[in-house]
Amino acid sequence: GENVEQHPSTLSVQEGDSAVIKCTYSDSASNYFPWYKQELGKRPQLIIDIRSNVGEKKDQRIAVTLNKTAKHFSLHITETQPEDSAVYFCAASGSGGSNYKLTFGKGTLLTVNP
Amino acid sequence: DSGVTQTPKHLITATGQRVTLRCSPRSGDLSVYWYQQSLDQGLQFLIQYYNGEERAKGNILERFSAQQFPDLHSELNLSSLELGDSALYFCASSVGSAGSGREQYFGPGTRLTVT
């Protein structure tokens, strides 16, 4: 089955700096890669996603890049703010009919220091 | 608010007991997914239903079962509970089709504590 590795497990940055979180996946059939933000005690919230026919996607201060050949994808947050502090999860999903189960990475605890 | 609802929010029960967690998907979503989140295992996929039919199974124990009803709400049944079953249980829903229908939106979760 799919395996998703995520690094780093913790990341501390100063407000205004950029943050990068990296993930690798094992199943070359995976073709959908969402990122979720989870604040303490809350639900995972979808913040951005990318499909395998696209190399990069941006939404304001966040962007995701995908390298299908190397089987890795990354989340980039620019101009970080204290409210960006949370646990971020990457995930991968295959193309088995209407089976779109997500395999998650272990998460990255991002702390943005004011 | 994602539009996915889950009840109850919290559940405290004893070992050996059985509980039922309930999920209502977003309006129009046909797929329901159940995930378990614990500190040591992270977010793990348990099972998926699509329009009433089981579509995929993950690391779901035999003591656990689920179903999706004609109105598309879903229930996750956990029986013979053990201390290790204590976790956050999330339900997510999606349209369930290819293209733009793959985004999964999570409910607020049910925190299960087994004592």
Side-chain angles (χ1 to χ4, degrees), chain B residues 66-86:
Chain B
Q67 53 184 327
Q68 186 179 28
F69 294 86
D71 67 352
L72 300 178
H73 91 271
S74 177
E75 292 181 357
L76 178 67
N77 301 296
L78 316 177
S79 62
S80 302
L81 285 167
E82 301 174 1
L83 295 177
D85 297 327
S86 297

Side-chain angles (χ1 to χ4, degrees), chain A residues 13-21 35 37 39 47-48 56-65 74-86 88 110-112:
Chain A
V13 300
Q14 289 300 121
E15 183 177 358
D17 287 350
S18 295
V20 180
I21 303 170
W35 287 86
K37 174 184 180 182
E39 297 174 359
I47 56 171
I48 195 167
E56 184 175 0
K57 183 177 178 180
K58 279 185 182 179
D59 183 3
Q60 298 182 7
R61 295 186 298 107
I62 60 173
V64 58
T65 59
S74 301
L75 177 72
H76 304 253
I77 307 174
T78 58
E79 300 172 27
T80 53
Q81 301 166 3
E83 50 266 39
D84 294 330
S85 296
Y88 290 80
L110 173 64
T111 303
V112 180

